[in-house]
Amino acid sequence: MEEDSTAPMERSKKGGIDCEALDRDIEKQRAVALEGKKLDVAIEALLNLEKQARLAADITGTRKVVIAIMQLCYEARAWKTLIEQILVLSKRRSQLKQAVSALVQHAMQYINDTPDLETRIELIETLSNVSAGKIYVEIERARLIRKLAKIKEEQGQIAEAAELMQEVAVETFGAMAKTEKIAFILEQVRLCLDRKDYMRAQILSRKISPRAFNPEADKDKKKPKEGENMVEAPGPDVPSLPELKRIYYELLIRYYSHKQDYLEICRSYQAIYETASVKEDASQWIPVLRKICWNLVLAPHESMQSSLLSSTLEDKRLSELPKFRALLKHFVTMEVIRWTDFLEEYKDELEQETKSPGESHGNRAMEDLFLRVIEHNILVVSKYYSRITLKRLSELLCLTFQETEKHLSDMVVSKALKAKVDRPAAVVSFQSKQDSHDVLNSWAVSIEKLLELVEKSCHQIHKETMVHKVALKVQ
């Protein structure tokens, strides 16, 4: 919230305060503090100058004096005095917003120069308390909280760091850059995951829309008019938008790995795979494409899974991974998969994927893969048979009678399959009962096909007749 420097100077001259004289007084007190080491005397004199400028509503003059006091304390390495003066200056009566903003921003530059960790924490907490509840320094407070949370995390206090970060709702900050907002929320999500607070991590992750990572979305936004709040530039440590996108989906993968949701894990890897930087580097997209294939296979059968399976098979880059292409082909082809042969063929790849770092669902991967193979085999049988005995179905699935009945029942309950079991007769029927409307519709379709065949036959007969007549005339 900067103001034009000429306006305050004019007001200061009308109020009897000369800017040039103020600069001379500041330099004089700096010389007193450095030469005679009388820091307290210099600060007292500068506080009087600050009072005169503040009561005269001289924004430029007040800001200069406040910054001069900070610099004197810093140059003298008087950290306790610096912290005391920050509190004193921020609590003075009718203190100007611009002065408090300059005070916080200037003092933040000294954080990395503190002599020890204790002093650094005290300085950060002091600045955080000063900026609390002040909307004009909300961005500075968010950056201070992030620094403090990082220190807590390095000390092993993950819970305290997560609670500190959750105190700040950066999504309401209008002047903060979009990338800095996303980076702050992602840090909140990461700390919640480290803390094993998966429910809160999911809630925080929903504050970020996947559309926010689309650079074209910013082009449609209107530029702010003159007088409106301008967005501040992000800090130097804030990653770029493509990097933030990758971090976002990697955190989602951690969350969905805990929930054993293979389909969402696959979709997250798919989003990473579509990133431009990943597509250009073979060392990056090959491992990601392998993860996509495995998680697609491990995901339960449903419409979304089938759609992703088809689109992945159409990817031309999959030809560079022939074994994984063959893996997906197994689950697209309507043929029964023999579990023993299948496991022997892909056992090494499965162990390699489940032992890779970051995979927390590896213990159940083998069991889930076995279930997916059984589901596929049951769906294949349902395509070729309308009715089949449980004994024959058990033979095709290489399962016991009880296991076959259990897996079949689970698929019916999950609505992945429509079937009825006649337990006394031990017969499975895959035919679904049709109501009157479905029967009439099937009749209508059949009659339509019949009429098309009749019309086509008449056309062929008429054609042959005309050809025969022409041949007779020629003779």
Side-chain angles (χ1 to χ4, degrees):
M1 296 167 56
E2 298 285 340
E3 291 192 10
D4 187 5
S5 60
T6 58
M9 288 180 67
E10 291 174 1
R11 288 200 301 270
S12 64
K13 289 178 180 179
K14 291 178 183 178
I17 299 176
D18 187 3
C19 286
E20 295 180 359
L22 182 63
D23 291 339
R24 287 195 299 270
D25 289 339
I26 290 173
E27 292 298 327
K28 180 181 177 181
Q29 297 305 324
R30 178 176 288 137
V32 169
L34 293 177
E35 292 176 6
K37 296 184 179 179
K38 298 179 180 179
L39 182 62
D40 295 338
V41 176
I43 289 176
E44 190 65 31
L46 288 173
L47 286 174
N48 290 330
L49 292 174
E50 185 272 338
K51 180 179 179 181
Q52 296 175 23
R54 172 166 46 83
L55 295 178
D58 184 359
I59 296 173
T60 304
T62 308
R63 187 188 294 135
K64 282 183 179 180
V65 177
V66 166
I67 293 174
I69 294 172
M70 296 294 102
Q71 288 177 341
L72 282 180
C73 295
Y74 172 71
E75 291 168 1
R77 292 297 188 268
W79 297 103
K80 294 291 183 184
T81 307
L82 174 64
I83 293 170
E84 290 173 3
Q85 292 304 316
I86 290 172
L87 293 171
V88 168
L89 290 168
S90 64
K91 292 179 180 179
R92 304 203 85 174
R93 183 170 62 89
S94 303
Q95 185 60 275
L96 302 173
K97 294 179 180 179
Q98 292 84 351
V100 175
S101 179
L103 168 71
V104 174
Q105 291 172 1
H106 202 78
M108 284 177 66
Q109 300 174 11
Y110 303 147
I111 291 175
N112 294 330
D113 298 330
T114 49
D116 51 45
L117 185 61
E118 184 180 352
T119 305
R120 182 176 300 180
I121 292 174
E122 188 178 359
L123 178 58
I124 293 174
E125 289 179 345
T126 302
L127 291 172
S128 177
N129 293 332
V130 167
S131 57
K134 297 179 177 64
I135 196 170
Y136 48 90
V137 285
E138 60 185 4
I139 297 177
E140 286 76 10
R141 184 171 188 272
R143 292 170 181 171
L144 288 165
I145 292 293
R146 189 170 181 182
K147 287 178 181 290
L148 186 59
K150 187 176 181 180
I151 294 173
K152 294 288 185 184
E153 185 184 4
E154 290 173 353
Q155 293 177 340
Q157 302 175 6
I158 304 295
E160 290 80 354
E163 289 173 2
L164 276 172
M165 292 290 286
Q166 290 166 26
E167 291 177 1
V168 185
V170 292
E171 63 272 12
T172 63
F173 294 180
M176 181 179 275
K178 183 178 79 170
T179 52
E180 192 168 2
K181 283 184 188 179
I182 295 173
F184 196 94
I185 295 172
L186 290 178
E187 192 69 13
Q188 292 176 329
V189 175
R190 184 186 65 81
L191 287 171
C192 286
L193 290 174
D194 292 343
R195 193 187 177 185
K196 309 297 182 185
D197 189 356
Y198 294 101
M199 184 61 70
R200 195 176 296 275
Q202 183 192 26
I203 294 170
L204 290 169
S205 66
R206 288 179 177 175
K207 293 182 179 181
I208 302 174
S209 172
R211 290 178 294 178
F213 300 107
N214 184 9
E216 296 180 359
D218 294 337
K219 297 179 181 178
D220 300 334
K221 291 185 178 180
K222 296 181 180 179
K223 294 183 179 180
K225 297 179 181 179
E226 189 176 355
E228 291 183 355
N229 290 332
M230 300 294 291
V231 177
E232 288 192 13
D237 57 339
V238 177
S240 61
L241 201 60
E243 292 173 354
L244 289 172
K245 179 181 178 181
R246 179 155 192 166
I247 295 170
Y248 169 73
Y249 283 107
E250 285 174 351
L251 291 173
L252 286 185
I253 289 167
R254 285 182 59 187
Y255 171 74
Y256 289 123
S257 296
H258 169 74
K259 303 292 286 185
Q260 301 288 329
D261 194 339
Y262 297 109
L263 184 60
E264 290 299 330
I265 295 172
C266 173
R267 293 179 64 186
S268 299
Y269 275 119
Q270 190 80 33
I272 295 174
Y273 178 72
E274 291 172 357
T275 307
S277 59
V278 174
K279 282 187 174 181
E280 294 171 359
D281 189 359
S283 62
Q284 294 187 43
W285 67 258
I286 288 177
V288 173
L289 190 56
R290 289 165 64 99
K291 297 287 187 186
I292 291 171
C293 294
W294 269 119
N295 285 284
L296 264 177
V297 169
L298 293 171
H301 177 77
E302 57 175 279
S303 57
M304 178 66 74
Q305 187 259 0
S306 301
S307 175
L308 284 173
L309 194 61
S310 302
S311 61
T312 306
L313 274 170
E314 292 174 0
D315 192 345
K316 295 180 180 178
R317 294 188 174 186
L318 195 61
S319 59
E320 298 186 26
L321 300 171
K323 200 148 191 177
F324 286 87
R325 185 178 182 84
L327 172 68
L328 297 185
K329 281 283 187 181
H330 277 297
F331 289 86
V332 173
T333 308
M334 287 291 105
E335 294 180 2
V336 174
I337 300 173
R338 296 293 175 184
W339 170 247
T340 53
D341 299 339
F342 180 81
L343 182 61
E344 187 67 26
E345 186 178 357
Y346 295 102
K347 186 177 181 180
D348 295 338
E349 282 74 12
L350 180 62
E351 289 178 354
Q352 183 181 349
E353 292 299 320
T354 54
K355 287 181 180 178
S356 60
E359 295 292 335
S360 61
H361 60 279
N363 297 330
R364 286 186 53 189
M366 191 70 72
E367 299 175 9
D368 291 331
L369 182 61
F370 180 62
L371 289 175
R372 299 294 90 79
V373 170
I374 293 173
E375 287 180 4
H376 170 78
N377 290 341
I378 292 175
L379 289 170
V380 170
V381 171
S382 68
K383 295 290 183 182
Y384 292 103
Y385 289 85
S386 58
R387 296 174 78 250
I388 188 173
T389 61
L390 276 171
K391 182 180 178 182
R392 176 57 179 159
L393 183 60
S394 302
E395 292 174 359
L396 291 172
L397 300 179
C398 300
L399 298 173
T400 62
F401 194 89
Q402 290 77 13
E403 288 175 340
T404 302
E405 189 174 1
K406 177 185 177 299
H407 290 300
L408 186 64
S409 301
D410 290 341
M411 290 188 68
V412 172
V413 170
S414 63
K415 297 183 179 179
L417 178 71
K418 289 184 179 180
K420 287 185 178 181
V421 180
D422 185 352
R423 299 190 72 181
V427 175
V428 182
S429 174
F430 295 109
Q431 289 179 334
S432 58
K433 186 179 180 181
Q434 293 182 328
D435 58 11
S436 57
H437 295 289
D438 294 332
V439 173
L440 287 173
N441 288 335
S442 64
W443 287 356
V445 171
S446 300
I447 292 171
E448 186 177 353
K449 289 181 179 178
L450 177 63
L451 291 174
E452 287 179 0
L453 289 172
V454 170
E455 185 179 358
K456 187 175 181 180
S457 300
C458 292
H459 175 72
Q460 292 292 337
I461 292 169
H462 182 68
K463 181 180 177 181
E464 289 292 333
T465 304
M466 295 300 293
V467 170
H468 185 65
K469 286 181 179 180
V470 170
L472 288 174
K473 288 180 179 179
V474 170
Q475 291 177 358

XYZ file of all heavy atoms in Angstrom, residues 85-135:
400
model
N 12.090 -2.953 20.426
C 11.675 -1.789 19.637
C 10.579 -2.136 18.634
O 9.729 -1.298 18.321
C 12.888 -1.194 18.901
C 13.913 -0.555 19.822
C 13.293 0.516 20.698
O 12.489 1.347 20.242
N 13.640 0.498 21.984
N 10.603 -3.374 18.124
C 9.512 -3.800 17.229
C 8.183 -3.746 17.965
O 7.178 -3.243 17.434
C 9.800 -5.225 16.697
C 10.969 -5.200 15.722
C 8.553 -5.801 16.009
C 11.439 -6.587 15.304
N 8.162 -4.239 19.200
C 6.935 -4.213 20.004
C 6.533 -2.796 20.350
O 5.347 -2.430 20.277
C 7.127 -5.046 21.272
C 7.293 -6.552 21.066
C 7.692 -7.225 22.372
C 6.006 -7.167 20.527
N 7.516 -1.963 20.720
C 7.222 -0.579 21.118
C 6.657 0.207 19.947
O 5.622 0.892 20.065
C 8.499 0.104 21.664
C 8.287 1.613 21.810
C 8.888 -0.507 23.006
N 7.302 0.126 18.800
C 6.869 0.909 17.634
C 5.500 0.459 17.119
O 4.711 1.278 16.653
C 7.908 0.786 16.527
C 9.237 1.492 16.780
C 10.283 1.061 15.762
C 9.046 3.013 16.742
N 5.217 -0.835 17.190
C 3.936 -1.329 16.671
C 2.760 -0.954 17.565
O 1.621 -0.895 17.102
C 4.001 -2.848 16.505
O 4.160 -3.482 17.762
N 3.036 -0.697 18.882
C 1.951 -0.422 19.826
C 1.774 1.063 20.125
O 0.950 1.436 20.964
C 2.218 -1.164 21.138
C 2.128 -2.679 21.006
C 2.413 -3.367 22.328
C 2.309 -4.883 22.178
N 2.612 -5.575 23.457
N 2.523 1.923 19.446
C 2.405 3.354 19.713
C 1.055 3.876 19.225
O 0.498 3.381 18.243
C 3.535 4.120 19.049
C 4.917 3.627 19.449
C 5.984 4.663 19.276
N 6.077 5.546 20.444
C 7.005 6.481 20.602
N 7.896 6.692 19.638
N 7.043 7.232 21.666
N 0.555 4.866 19.913
C -0.780 5.386 19.638
C -0.861 5.962 18.228
O 0.023 6.686 17.785
C -1.138 6.466 20.670
C -2.543 7.043 20.524
C -2.879 7.910 21.708
N -1.986 9.050 21.813
C -2.185 10.219 21.227
N -3.252 10.407 20.475
N -1.330 11.215 21.399
N -1.957 5.614 17.540
C -2.222 6.118 16.173
C -1.070 5.810 15.215
O -0.741 6.614 14.341
C -2.501 7.628 16.190
O -3.584 7.930 17.032
N -0.450 4.652 15.426
C 0.648 4.274 14.533
C 0.109 4.056 13.115
O -0.954 3.472 12.907
C 1.325 2.996 15.026
C 2.551 2.600 14.242
C 3.637 3.664 14.264
O 3.593 4.590 13.437
N 4.576 3.549 15.196
N 0.868 4.548 12.138
C 0.438 4.479 10.738
C 0.599 3.057 10.189
O 1.552 2.346 10.535
C 1.262 5.451 9.893
C 1.197 6.928 10.325
C 2.187 7.754 9.511
C -0.206 7.470 10.154
N -0.324 2.661 9.334
C -0.261 1.329 8.736
C 1.004 1.151 7.906
O 1.635 0.087 7.916
C -1.483 1.087 7.851
C -2.802 1.031 8.608
C -3.957 0.801 7.639
C -5.288 0.739 8.390
N -6.413 0.532 7.444
N 1.360 2.209 7.183
C 2.542 2.118 6.325
C 3.809 1.923 7.153
O 4.737 1.222 6.735
C 2.673 3.382 5.465
C 1.601 3.537 4.414
C 0.324 4.173 4.961
O 0.172 4.345 6.168
N -0.589 4.517 4.061
N 3.837 2.504 8.345
C 5.003 2.359 9.212
C 5.099 0.926 9.748
O 6.187 0.337 9.786
C 4.918 3.353 10.367
N 3.966 0.360 10.150
C 3.969 -1.023 10.641
C 4.368 -1.978 9.517
O 5.134 -2.925 9.728
C 2.583 -1.387 11.203
C 2.537 -2.857 11.608
C 2.231 -0.513 12.394
N 3.855 -1.729 8.325
C 4.188 -2.577 7.182
C 5.686 -2.516 6.882
O 6.339 -3.542 6.669
C 3.386 -2.126 5.960
O 3.688 -2.908 4.840
N 6.258 -1.296 6.891
C 7.697 -1.147 6.652
C 8.504 -1.795 7.777
O 9.554 -2.407 7.531
C 8.051 0.333 6.541
N 8.012 -1.674 9.020
C 8.677 -2.272 10.171
C 8.784 -3.789 10.020
O 9.862 -4.389 10.179
C 7.891 -1.917 11.436
C 8.231 -2.661 12.724
C 9.582 -2.205 13.235
C 7.167 -2.442 13.788
N 7.661 -4.444 9.675
C 7.641 -5.904 9.543
C 8.497 -6.354 8.361
O 9.303 -7.288 8.475
C 6.189 -6.405 9.398
C 6.161 -7.903 9.108
C 5.378 -6.096 10.653
N 8.328 -5.688 7.214
C 9.068 -6.085 6.019
C 10.575 -5.930 6.202
O 11.361 -6.779 5.764
C 8.602 -5.260 4.823
C 7.171 -5.587 4.382
C 6.658 -4.635 3.313
O 7.368 -3.739 2.875
N 5.408 -4.818 2.910
N 10.989 -4.841 6.880
C 12.421 -4.601 7.064
C 13.009 -5.562 8.093
O 14.122 -6.076 7.908
C 12.655 -3.149 7.501
C 14.030 -2.663 7.206
N 14.444 -2.277 5.957
C 15.114 -2.524 8.016
C 15.708 -1.901 5.992
N 16.148 -2.055 7.240
N 12.276 -5.834 9.151
C 12.776 -6.733 10.190
C 12.882 -8.169 9.680
O 13.721 -8.943 10.164
C 11.872 -6.669 11.415
N 12.040 -8.539 8.699
C 12.100 -9.897 8.142
C 13.424 -10.157 7.430
O 13.856 -11.310 7.321
C 10.937 -10.117 7.177
C 9.589 -10.336 7.854
S 8.234 -10.515 6.674
C 8.682 -12.061 5.869
N 14.085 -9.102 6.967
C 15.362 -9.275 6.270
C 16.480 -9.704 7.217
O 17.517 -10.205 6.776
C 15.751 -7.966 5.570
C 14.742 -7.502 4.539
C 15.093 -6.138 3.967
O 16.192 -5.622 4.188
N 14.163 -5.542 3.232
N 16.269 -9.499 8.525
C 17.309 -9.816 9.500
C 17.185 -11.226 10.071
O 18.021 -11.636 10.876
C 17.250 -8.811 10.665
C 17.373 -7.365 10.262
C 16.701 -6.359 10.957
C 18.167 -6.989 9.174
C 16.813 -5.031 10.602
C 18.275 -5.663 8.800
C 17.592 -4.690 9.517
O 17.708 -3.375 9.145
N 16.142 -11.969 9.682
C 15.887 -13.270 10.302
C 17.043 -14.239 10.062
O 17.493 -14.946 10.972
C 14.558 -13.856 9.773
C 13.376 -13.036 10.291
C 14.405 -15.321 10.205
C 12.029 -13.448 9.741
N 17.549 -14.279 8.831
C 18.621 -15.231 8.503
C 19.965 -14.852 9.111
O 20.899 -15.657 9.099
C 18.763 -15.356 6.984
C 17.537 -15.982 6.347
O 16.843 -16.787 6.965
N 17.247 -15.590 5.112
N 20.086 -13.618 9.636
C 21.357 -13.159 10.209
C 21.400 -13.288 11.721
O 22.370 -12.825 12.353
C 21.607 -11.695 9.809
C 21.730 -11.521 8.301
O 22.181 -12.474 7.645
O 21.368 -10.441 7.796
N 20.374 -13.864 12.315
C 20.350 -14.017 13.772
C 21.469 -14.958 14.227
O 21.817 -15.919 13.510
C 18.997 -14.564 14.239
O 18.657 -15.708 13.441
C 17.906 -13.520 14.088
N 22.045 -14.711 15.411
C 23.207 -15.500 15.848
C 22.891 -16.941 16.223
O 23.735 -17.825 16.085
C 23.732 -14.723 17.064
C 22.529 -13.996 17.583
C 21.703 -13.655 16.386
N 21.688 -17.201 16.741
C 21.348 -18.564 17.151
C 19.874 -18.833 16.861
O 19.101 -17.925 16.519
C 21.658 -18.787 18.637
C 21.051 -17.702 19.522
O 19.870 -17.355 19.319
O 21.762 -17.184 20.408
N 19.491 -20.090 17.014
C 18.125 -20.517 16.701
C 17.110 -19.914 17.662
O 16.007 -19.550 17.259
C 18.046 -22.046 16.741
C 16.717 -22.674 16.313
C 16.394 -22.316 14.871
C 16.769 -24.191 16.469
N 17.488 -19.786 18.908
C 16.559 -19.228 19.901
C 16.181 -17.798 19.559
O 15.010 -17.405 19.626
C 17.199 -19.307 21.291
C 16.271 -18.841 22.414
C 16.944 -18.923 23.780
O 18.061 -19.469 23.866
O 16.344 -18.424 24.747
N 17.171 -16.997 19.187
C 16.915 -15.595 18.807
C 16.072 -15.534 17.544
O 15.173 -14.692 17.422
C 18.251 -14.868 18.583
O 19.063 -14.999 19.739
C 18.007 -13.392 18.308
N 16.350 -16.435 16.606
C 15.581 -16.460 15.362
C 14.102 -16.762 15.624
O 13.209 -16.095 15.091
C 16.172 -17.497 14.407
C 15.470 -17.579 13.060
C 16.162 -18.547 12.134
N 17.539 -18.150 11.886
C 18.383 -18.825 11.113
N 17.995 -19.942 10.524
N 19.609 -18.407 10.928
N 13.850 -17.755 16.479
C 12.456 -18.105 16.801
C 11.769 -16.949 17.503
O 10.607 -16.610 17.213
C 12.430 -19.381 17.663
C 12.897 -20.587 16.849
C 11.020 -19.629 18.211
C 13.039 -21.860 17.654
N 12.490 -16.292 18.432
C 11.894 -15.165 19.164
C 11.557 -14.013 18.229
O 10.492 -13.383 18.359
C 12.861 -14.707 20.253
C 12.259 -13.671 21.199
C 13.221 -13.254 22.305
O 14.355 -13.787 22.345
O 12.835 -12.390 23.128
N 12.452 -13.724 17.280
C 12.202 -12.645 16.325
C 11.010 -12.971 15.427
O 10.144 -12.113 15.186
C 13.457 -12.407 15.480
C 13.361 -11.330 14.392
C 12.979 -9.981 14.994
C 14.669 -11.229 13.614
N 10.944 -14.230 14.947
C 9.822 -14.623 14.078
C 8.504 -14.558 14.841
O 7.493 -14.054 14.320
C 10.065 -16.043 13.520
C 11.251 -16.056 12.553
C 8.814 -16.552 12.798
C 11.646 -17.430 12.080
N 8.479 -15.048 16.068
C 7.243 -15.015 16.868
C 6.819 -13.592 17.174
O 5.624 -13.282 17.171
C 7.455 -15.803 18.162
C 7.550 -17.313 17.957
C 7.795 -18.062 19.251
O 8.177 -17.410 20.246
O 7.614 -19.303 19.263
N 7.790 -12.708 17.439
C 7.464 -11.297 17.697
C 6.831 -10.646 16.477
O 5.794 -9.970 16.573
C 8.740 -10.530 18.098
O 9.317 -11.134 19.250
C 8.412 -9.075 18.407
N 7.439 -10.850 15.310
C 6.885 -10.277 14.079
C 5.530 -10.888 13.753
O 4.632 -10.194 13.254
C 7.859 -10.512 12.921
C 9.174 -9.728 12.972
C 10.126 -10.200 11.892
C 8.913 -8.228 12.838
N 5.362 -12.167 14.052
C 4.073 -12.823 13.810
C 2.988 -12.242 14.699
O 1.859 -12.012 14.248
C 4.219 -14.320 14.046
O 2.973 -14.965 13.890
N 3.315 -11.985 15.959
C 2.337 -11.389 16.877
C 1.992 -9.960 16.479
O 0.841 -9.529 16.599
C 2.877 -11.413 18.311
C 3.013 -12.826 18.851
O 2.278 -13.720 18.446
N 3.960 -13.036 19.758
N 2.999 -9.229 15.997
C 2.764 -7.840 15.576
C 1.845 -7.794 14.357
O 0.956 -6.949 14.250
C 4.115 -7.151 15.273
C 3.890 -5.831 14.530
C 4.876 -6.903 16.561
N 2.042 -8.731 13.423
C 1.257 -8.723 12.176
C -0.082 -9.436 12.316
O -0.880 -9.421 11.373
C 2.073 -9.372 11.056
O 2.455 -10.693 11.422
N -0.352 -10.092 13.446
C -1.605 -10.828 13.627
C -2.802 -9.879 13.600
O -2.804 -8.838 14.273
C -1.576 -11.596 14.943
N -3.805 -10.229 12.802
C -5.033 -9.436 12.726
C -4.929 -8.193 11.872
O -5.889 -7.419 11.804
N -3.798 -7.966 11.213
C -3.615 -6.774 10.371
C -3.614 -7.228 8.912
O -2.689 -7.904 8.458
C -2.308 -6.060 10.718
C -2.260 -5.527 12.154
C -0.938 -4.848 12.428
C -0.896 -4.235 13.827
N -0.994 -5.234 14.896
N -4.637 -6.842 8.175
C -4.817 -7.322 6.813
C -3.747 -6.789 5.872
O -3.431 -7.413 4.856
C -6.235 -6.941 6.304
C -6.571 -7.765 5.057
C -6.341 -5.449 6.041
C -8.019 -7.631 4.629
